[in-house]
Amino acid sequence: MSASTENFLKTIYCFQKLEARDTKPGSIAKALGISNAAATDMARKLSEKDLLEYRKYQALQLTPKGESLALQVIRKHRLWETFLYRTFDMSLLEIHNEAELLEHATSDRMAEILWNYLEKPSFDPHGDPIPNVYGFVDFEKDSKVLFKTEEDREYRIIRLVSNDEEFYSFCCDNKIEIGNEIKVVKQYSKNQLTEISIHGRQIVIPKEFSNNIYVTKVNEQ
Amino acid sequence: MSASTENFLKTIYCFQKLEARDTKPGSIAKALGISNAAATDMARKLSEKDLLEYRKYQALQLTPKGESLALQVIRKHRLWETFLYRTFDMSLLEIHNEAELLEHATSDRMAEILWNYLEKPSFDPHGDPIPNVYGFVDFEKDSKVLFKTEEDREYRIIRLVSNDEEFYSFCCDNKIEIGNEIKVVKQYSKNQLTEISIHGRQIVIPKEFSNNIYVTKVNEQ
DNA sequence: TAAAAGATTTAAGCATACTTAAATATTAAT
DNA sequence: ATTAATATTTAAGTATGCTTAAATCTTTTA
């Protein structure tokens, strides 16, 4: 199972199940930095191996077999992220980039060793759940990005997703961390800014960042 | 730099510099588990990239550039071995096998992080020196395999090399570890056995094992 | 020394993972 | 509804990393 195949399956899985993005060949190609024709070819070939369903001009769908393989890659990715974060002084972006490489060079045995050593973690440092060896606990269904939250409501931060070092730096500086609670004070639609209250401070977050912060509602009292 | 290329260069380097084995295409092919033709082809192509010198019917020689790349792979391999050995409950064979995969998926930055975290180790758990980021401290020139040692002399164990789990198990059971001193009591040439004294015990080692144990003379007093 | 055996090289081919360009289909705009 | 724009697919090609088989070279044996 090559790194290319693994990344292809993983990308489809993440788009479809985690990010509600379309899984047409062009979108996958763009995310992977390859040509459209390469994506179409890969889709056709992986379809022949029963890893996905390819129909001309339709979005790609993983088969159960394809999903299972994607989950194994995701699992290894997140185990490495968790392990690197706990063991070394590395940033969230660094652990992600290294895990992108390591996930394709990790035996199932090595993954099991990491899993046990880490005492079977449920989440990685970005807030993403770590699939167990059999499957995956679905992402929380009622989460949304901060950009789309309602004013005067309280939320808890459950996921941070970005390739931007500045984003993570901003989060760190402002205590925007997994598990912390915030209150959405005001949504400035025209300027696409979100004002929140966190730890007694008011801060304003631009759309580029608020679209990377997943939150879930805190129960009302 | 693909894993195949890295393994090709690494194998040539190990055969030539560490194990005094011939580096003809057939030997490299056998070690890598590929066909002779594939090895010849790879050699020709890597020659075009100035990573080695390929002359028909001659042994392969790495260029300085090829050596440098091989050393980086070896360095990463041994850093991973050392790290895995210290961090997890894994056998010497297991760490070797996992490092064989991980070495090709490790950024230079990740290697540096491992190096510093491990406090710049000089040797890995097999007794092999870990190249620093610029080069390599040559293997000890006066080492030899236990099979070829002289009777009534004292040696120190400096290197253990095998793909055999039983070999490592045997070493573990008998305190055959890097740094330990032994005395060669008798060499039974006919039966190819080596009798040694270690930690007050006499044990007899068959050739299959004694050829995997590298030792260096202890200074005479 | 000649023949046999073994090793290496060349040739032809396959699979994977891409590329660009042209053809085709779908979507958006008017 | 028609045209323009965009996306996807097909076609032809490259590079990598192999394979087997035949040809050639080197080494060993008798």
Side-chain angles (χ1 to χ4, degrees):
Chain A
M1 187 62 53
S2 70
S4 292
T5 297
E6 287 184 345
N7 279 330
F8 202 83
L9 297 176
K10 184 177 94 170
T11 301
I12 294 170
Y13 188 91
C14 291
F15 276 22
Q16 183 173 23
K17 303 279 179 148
L18 308 181
E19 296 172 31
R21 287 165 73 172
D22 84 271
T23 57
K24 289 190 174 176
S27 302
I28 305 298
K30 188 171 177 185
L32 292 173
I34 61 177
S35 69
N36 289 344
T40 303
D41 259 5
M42 281 288 288
R44 185 184 47 76
K45 275 187 283 190
L46 295 181
S47 172
E48 285 162 13
K49 295 184 184 176
D50 193 36
L51 294 173
L52 60 81
E53 286 173 9
Y54 170 66
R55 292 190 193 79
K56 291 186 192 180
Y57 304 111
Q58 303 297 312
L60 308 174
Q61 308 264 18
L62 294 179
T63 61
K65 185 175 164 190
E67 279 195 19
S68 172
L69 288 175
L71 279 170
Q72 291 305 311
V73 179
I74 290 165
R75 168 175 159 80
K76 287 167 184 173
H77 181 95
R78 292 177 182 167
L79 283 171
W80 275 117
E81 281 193 326
T82 306
F83 179 75
L84 295 177
Y85 196 69
R86 292 193 194 174
T87 307
F88 307 111
D89 183 24
M90 294 169 77
S91 70
L92 283 178
L93 183 58
E94 264 187 317
I95 63 172
H96 172 73
N97 289 339
E98 296 301 334
E100 282 287 310
L101 301 176
L102 294 169
E103 75 200 23
H104 306 299
T106 303
S107 71
D108 290 344
R109 170 73 179 138
M110 190 70 236
E112 190 188 358
I113 289 171
L114 285 172
W115 171 252
N116 286 315
Y117 178 82
L118 296 168
E119 297 179 330
K120 309 185 182 185
S122 298
F123 295 90
D124 84 350
H126 295 270
D128 294 316
I130 296 176
N132 66 30
V133 75
Y134 301 112
F136 176 50
V137 179
D138 263 354
F139 197 67
E140 286 190 19
K141 292 285 166 37
D142 59 346
S143 69
K144 62 177 65 168
V145 289
L146 188 55
F147 178 65
K148 291 182 181 170
T149 51
E150 296 157 40
E151 297 177 344
D152 267 330
R153 284 195 185 274
E154 303 204 324
Y155 296 89
R156 188 170 59 249
I157 297 167
I158 64 167
R159 188 172 179 228
L160 304 172
V161 183
S162 175
N163 285 329
D164 183 11
E165 185 73 61
E166 276 194 3
F167 170 74
Y168 289 116
S169 178
F170 174 83
C171 291
C172 190
D173 292 346
N174 293 287
K175 307 295 181 196
I176 299 178
E177 295 165 4
I178 309 297
N180 286 359
E181 292 190 356
I182 59 169
K183 180 173 181 179
V184 176
V185 176
K186 191 159 181 63
Q187 291 278 13
Y188 299 91
S189 308
K190 187 176 167 190
N191 295 307
Q192 300 186 326
L193 301 170
T194 304
E195 185 179 5
I196 64 169
S197 173
I198 182 168
H199 285 195
R201 284 208 320 146
Q202 316 277 73
I203 56 175
V204 176
I205 304 180
K207 179 187 176 184
E208 305 92 77
F209 285 0
S210 61
N211 252 347
N212 295 340
I213 303 171
Y214 285 76
V215 296
T216 188
K217 276 189 196 169
V218 175
N219 288 338
E220 311 210 85
Q221 323 233 16
Chain B
M1 185 62 53
S2 70
S4 292
T5 298
E6 287 184 344
N7 279 331
F8 203 82
L9 297 176
K10 184 176 97 170
T11 301
I12 295 170
Y13 188 92
C14 290
F15 277 22
Q16 184 174 25
K17 303 278 179 151
L18 308 181
E19 297 173 30
R21 288 165 73 174
D22 84 274
T23 57
K24 291 191 174 176
S27 304
I28 305 299
K30 189 173 175 184
L32 292 173
I34 61 176
S35 68
N36 289 346
T40 303
D41 258 7
M42 280 287 287
R44 185 184 49 74
K45 277 189 280 190
L46 294 182
S47 173
E48 286 162 14
K49 295 182 183 179
D50 193 37
L51 294 173
L52 60 82
E53 288 173 7
Y54 170 66
R55 291 189 195 79
K56 291 186 191 181
Y57 306 110
Q58 304 296 312
L60 307 174
Q61 307 264 17
L62 294 180
T63 61
K65 185 174 164 192
E67 278 194 17
S68 172
L69 288 177
L71 279 171
Q72 291 306 310
V73 180
I74 290 164
R75 168 176 158 81
K76 288 168 184 173
H77 181 94
R78 292 177 182 167
L79 282 171
W80 274 116
E81 281 192 326
T82 306
F83 179 75
L84 295 177
Y85 196 68
R86 294 193 194 176
T87 307
F88 307 112
D89 182 24
M90 292 170 78
S91 71
L92 282 178
L93 183 58
E94 265 189 316
I95 63 172
H96 171 73
N97 289 339
E98 296 301 334
E100 282 287 311
L101 300 177
L102 294 169
E103 74 199 26
H104 307 298
T106 303
S107 70
D108 291 342
R109 170 71 180 138
M110 190 70 235
E112 191 188 359
I113 289 171
L114 285 172
W115 172 250
N116 286 314
Y117 178 83
L118 296 167
E119 298 181 330
K120 308 182 182 185
S122 299
F123 294 90
D124 85 346
H126 296 269
D128 293 317
I130 296 177
N132 65 30
V133 75
Y134 301 110
F136 176 51
V137 180
D138 263 352
F139 195 65
E140 286 193 18
K141 293 288 169 31
D142 59 347
S143 69
K144 61 177 67 171
V145 289
L146 188 55
F147 178 66
K148 292 181 178 167
T149 50
E150 296 157 41
E151 297 178 344
D152 268 329
R153 283 195 187 272
E154 304 204 322
Y155 297 88
R156 188 171 59 249
I157 297 165
I158 64 166
R159 188 171 178 227
L160 304 172
V161 184
S162 176
N163 284 329
D164 183 10
E165 185 74 61
E166 275 194 3
F167 169 73
Y168 289 115
S169 176
F170 174 82
C171 290
C172 191
D173 291 345
N174 292 287
K175 308 293 179 197
I176 300 178
E177 295 166 2
I178 310 299
N180 285 359
E181 293 190 359
I182 60 169
K183 180 173 181 178
V184 176
V185 177
K186 190 159 182 63
Q187 291 279 12
Y188 299 91
S189 309
K190 186 178 170 189
N191 297 307
Q192 300 187 325
L193 300 171
T194 305
E195 184 180 4
I196 65 169
S197 172
I198 181 169
H199 285 196
R201 286 211 313 149
Q202 315 277 78
I203 57 175
V204 176
I205 303 180
K207 180 187 178 187
E208 306 90 77
F209 285 0
S210 61
N211 254 348
N212 294 341
I213 302 169
Y214 285 76
V215 296
T216 189
K217 277 189 195 168
V218 176
N219 288 338
E220 310 210 88
Q221 323 237 11

